[in-house]
């Protein structure tokens, strides 16, 4: 008897930084397994932002793509779409996370049952879920369906979380209390790490009164859930083994860890909850610029920029005398002072500003010579894959660890210092741009290493590469386990 057709349910939290890699993994699964089906699911509110043109009655139905092998079905977070994932109010954010964890398991369970009852389509044979869904494995296990966590950050970050929740929380807390971010944390199997570079959810959010405390609790529950999996949990990591710090994969040895990335955009089918400005205009503008001359600046889908930071950023960009492409999201503009947009327009002499753009296309353009980034892993991975040196301005989550990776391990960029108010001053931006784009030896080394790592990533994702082979092994294992 032939094995059943593999059918993956890919679940993700409703933030762009989670949706993008999860959807890229979904398409990657389809590419390596020509007979596979994938159902992609996020919350109803995020689903409607992904597909705004669809009529209401179609949004909750089977929306097929990739020749009918990829479908989109949302699940409920209990809010009926009133709140999609981000708020400045701590109580509202905490209430949302609580609702997500209460309603999500029920709704995903109903979705799995509905998919199993359809005629002509196989039931789900593997659940794949991203961060913030610690309950997903239990929902799958209750239906005898194996699951896998898709870790959307590098493996060294996974190893840090794993060590923290397995006996080393006290050591991290003690060093954090000393107030010196340069103090090194010794975690088994890992190189010494500056405590200031550890994920902020482990160093700042442990206080019950902290805004992100619900995220800390969610990570704790996630690692508890991984420990409950038998014989061991499967974790897919959005990185390749060649990019990882020596010892990082072994440090999570009690789980079955497979590097399958970094998963990257596949072209025009990239889907986002943010809609880009007219791509022709900014791409045509890039076409007019010399090779490796443009500074691309984007602080991602979550970070908001205060007026003071915008002023310093524009001052530094203009005084650097380099052309630049600056992303300032529409919601970010609305959060600034009323006259900020007009002032910004007056000061844009050497560059242009857009509300959102196709980042992968921009980074792959020959004119781009540097990426000033918040250091989210998606952005860092896309920059590495494009061979573009970086200037890092990390703020929250694992962003400082990502900056540590490209600055200290890969030597493809520089990290900007910020003042006590968290603002990167114009002079500091100019210093960093010179360090990665100037004529000196540091810039030459950053450019050389960026090209080296670009080739490494391309080989890992190629048909005989480490990440490709790991993903193929995962698919094969899914097929065998369902027979």
């Amino acid at each position: 008897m032939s094995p059943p057709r593999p059918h993956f349910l890919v679940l993700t939290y409703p933030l762009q930084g989670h949706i993008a890699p999860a959807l890229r993994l979904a398409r990657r699964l389809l590419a390596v397994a020509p007979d596979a089906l994938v159902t992609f699911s996020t919350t109803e509110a995020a689903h409607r932002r992904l597909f705004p043109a669809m009529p209401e009655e179609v949004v909750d139905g089977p929306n097929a793509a990739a020749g009918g092998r990829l479908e989109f079905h949302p699940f409920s977070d209990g809010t009926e779409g009133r709140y999609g994932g981000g708020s400045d109010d701590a109580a509202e954010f905490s209430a949302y996370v609580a609702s997500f964890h209460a309603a999500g398991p029920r709704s995903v369970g109903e979705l799995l049952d509905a998919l199993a009852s359809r005629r002509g389509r196989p039931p789900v044979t593997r659940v794949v879920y991203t961060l913030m869904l610690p309950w997903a494995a239990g929902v799958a296990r209750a239906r005898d369906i194996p699951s896998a966590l898709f870790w959307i950050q590098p493996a060294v970050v996974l190893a840090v979380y794993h060590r923290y929740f397995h006996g080393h929380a006290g050591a991290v807390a003690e060093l954090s209390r000393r107030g010196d971010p340069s103090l090194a944390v010794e975690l088994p199997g890992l190189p010494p790490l500056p405590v200031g570079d550890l994920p902020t959810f482990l160093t700042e959010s442990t206080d019950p009164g902290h805004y992100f405390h619900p995220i800390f609790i969610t990570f704790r529950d996630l690692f508890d859930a991984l420990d409950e999996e038998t014989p061991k949990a499967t974790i897919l990591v959005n990185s390749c083994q060649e990019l990882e710090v020596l010892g990082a994969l072994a440090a999570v040895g009690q789980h079955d860890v497979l590097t399958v990335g970094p998963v990257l955009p596949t072209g025009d089918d990239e889907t986002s909850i943010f809609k880009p400005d007219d791509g022709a205009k900014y791409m045509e503008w890039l076409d007019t610029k010399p090779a490796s001359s443009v500074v691309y600046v984007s602080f991602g889908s979550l970070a908001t920029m205060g007026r003071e930071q915008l002023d310093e950023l524009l001052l530094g960009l203009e005084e650097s005398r380099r052309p630049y492409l600056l992303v300032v999201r529409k919601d970010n503009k609305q959060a600034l002072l009323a006259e900020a947009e007009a002032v910004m327009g007056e000061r844009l002499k050497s560059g242009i500003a857009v509300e959102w753009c196709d980042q992968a296309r921009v980074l792959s353009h020959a004119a781009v010579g540097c990426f000033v980034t918040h250091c989210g892993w998606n952005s860092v991975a896309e920059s590495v894959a494009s061979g573009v040196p970086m200037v890092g301005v990390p703020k929250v989550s694992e962003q400082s660890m990502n900056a540590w990776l490209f600055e200290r391990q890969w030597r493809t960029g520089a990290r900007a210092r910020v003042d006590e108010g968290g603002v990167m001053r114009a002079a500091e931006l100019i210093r960093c741009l010179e360090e990665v784009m100037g004529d000196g030896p540091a810039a030459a080394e950053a450019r050389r290493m960026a090209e080296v790592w670009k080739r490494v990533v391309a080989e890992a994702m190629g048909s005989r590469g480490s990440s490709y082979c790991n993903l193929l092994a995962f698919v094969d294992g899914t097929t065998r386990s369902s027979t």
Side-chain angles (χ1 to χ4, degrees):
M1 188 173 99
S2 61
R5 194 175 181 186
H7 182 179
F8 299 91
L9 173 62
V10 178
L11 302 168
T12 184
Y13 193 74
L15 292 177
Q16 180 61 25
H18 295 231
I19 291 170
L23 189 49
R24 293 170 188 175
L25 177 67
R27 297 189 187 280
R28 189 74 176 167
L29 287 167
L30 294 175
V32 302
D35 63 334
L37 302 174
V38 176
T39 298
F40 183 88
S41 185
T42 187
T43 62
E44 293 165 347
H47 183 96
R48 290 186 173 91
R49 291 189 67 178
L50 286 169
F51 308 106
M54 291 185 177
E56 188 73 16
E57 65 270 16
V58 176
V59 167
D60 294 322
N63 308 305
R69 295 198 297 134
L70 174 61
E71 291 187 344
F72 299 87
H73 293 263
F75 66 88
S76 173
D77 57 12
T79 67
E80 299 179 356
R82 289 192 302 270
Y83 176 68
S87 170
D88 292 332
D89 183 85
E92 184 180 5
F93 177 66
S94 182
Y96 175 76
V97 174
S99 177
F100 180 86
H101 291 326
R106 293 194 298 270
S107 184
V108 168
E110 293 168 358
L111 175 58
L112 282 167
D113 294 341
L115 293 173
S117 67
R118 294 193 306 176
R119 290 187 176 183
R121 305 279 283 191
V124 171
T125 58
R126 192 81 177 232
V127 171
V128 179
Y129 61 98
T130 64
L131 313 182
M132 296 293 293
L133 283 78
W135 39 262
V139 172
R141 189 167 55 247
R143 292 160 176 78
D144 294 321
I145 302 172
S147 63
L149 168 65
F150 181 36
W151 185 264
I152 57 175
Q153 299 167 352
V156 67
V157 178
L158 169 66
V160 168
Y161 274 102
H162 177 80
R163 293 302 191 194
Y164 180 93
F165 288 115
H166 290 83
H168 297 277
V172 171
E174 172 60 27
L175 288 178
S176 297
R177 279 194 294 268
R178 295 187 189 179
D180 182 353
S182 67
L183 292 174
V185 177
E186 302 280 352
L187 298 174
L190 297 175
L193 298 167
V195 68
D197 287 342
L198 297 188
T200 58
F201 297 146
L202 301 181
T203 59
E204 299 176 6
S205 304
T206 57
D207 184 340
H210 194 276
Y211 178 91
F212 285 122
H213 187 65
I215 306 299
F216 169 77
I217 297 299
T218 298
F219 271 104
R220 184 199 64 190
D221 293 347
L222 175 65
F223 281 84
D224 285 346
L226 290 172
D227 289 344
E228 293 175 5
E229 288 290 273
T230 56
K232 59 172 61 175
T234 297
I235 304 176
L236 307 178
V237 178
N238 189 22
S239 179
C240 61
Q241 63 190 37
E242 293 84 356
L243 282 175
E244 287 301 331
V245 172
L246 184 65
L249 294 169
V252 204
Q254 74 183 70
H255 303 307
D256 184 15
V257 182
L258 297 171
T259 51
V260 297
V263 290
L264 301 165
T266 56
D268 294 338
D269 55 5
E270 182 78 352
T271 305
S272 171
I273 61 175
F274 298 102
K275 300 309 170 188
D277 286 355
D278 184 355
K281 292 181 180 179
Y282 61 79
M283 294 305 292
E284 288 174 359
W285 180 84
L286 287 172
D287 289 340
T288 68
K289 304 306 174 187
S292 302
S293 66
V294 174
V295 180
Y296 169 58
V297 186
S298 175
F299 291 155
S301 59
L302 278 181
T304 56
M305 194 187 318
R307 176 63 188 276
E308 186 177 14
Q309 181 61 88
L310 179 61
D311 287 342
E312 290 290 326
L313 184 62
L314 288 172
L315 180 61
L317 289 170
E318 289 293 340
E319 290 192 356
S320 74
R321 300 185 183 279
R322 291 181 171 92
Y324 59 88
L325 171 60
L326 170 63
V327 176
V328 183
R329 297 193 321 270
K330 182 177 182 180
D331 58 324
N332 203 159
K333 286 181 182 178
Q334 293 169 345
L336 298 172
L337 297 178
E339 72 274 13
E341 187 168 358
V343 171
M344 187 173 66
E346 294 173 1
R347 295 173 63 181
L348 292 173
K349 307 298 183 184
S350 301
I352 60 172
V354 296
E355 293 182 352
W356 197 249
C357 68
D358 187 332
Q359 182 162 284
R361 286 183 69 199
V362 168
L363 288 171
S364 63
H365 196 285
V368 175
C370 172
F371 181 13
V372 180
T373 172
H374 68 307
C375 304
W377 181 242
N378 291 327
S379 292
V380 169
E382 289 170 21
S383 197
V384 172
S386 300
V388 176
M390 286 167 275
V391 169
V393 194
K395 290 193 177 293
V396 298
S397 189
E398 91 295 357
Q399 293 169 8
S400 286
M401 287 209 70
N402 298 338
W404 174 82
L405 279 171
F406 72 69
E407 182 185 35
R408 300 296 182 185
Q409 299 293 307
W410 310 331
R411 305 194 308 280
T412 60
R415 185 179 345 189
R417 296 184 293 264
V418 297
D419 64 17
E420 292 182 355
V423 175
M424 174 185 61
R425 295 297 171 181
E428 177 66 3
L429 174 59
I430 293 169
R431 181 191 70 80
C432 290
L433 291 177
E434 184 63 24
E435 187 172 333
V436 300
M437 297 183 75
D439 298 325
E445 176 69 357
R447 289 190 289 267
R448 185 184 72 82
M449 292 306 299
E451 285 299 320
V452 168
W453 290 113
K454 176 182 178 179
R455 292 193 295 270
V456 166
V457 170
E459 290 172 3
M461 295 301 290
S463 60
R464 296 183 181 180
S466 60
S467 291
Y468 178 90
C469 292
N470 284 341
L471 188 59
L472 196 59
F474 170 71
V475 171
D476 290 343
T478 296
T479 302
R480 289 195 299 273
S481 67
S482 61
T483 58

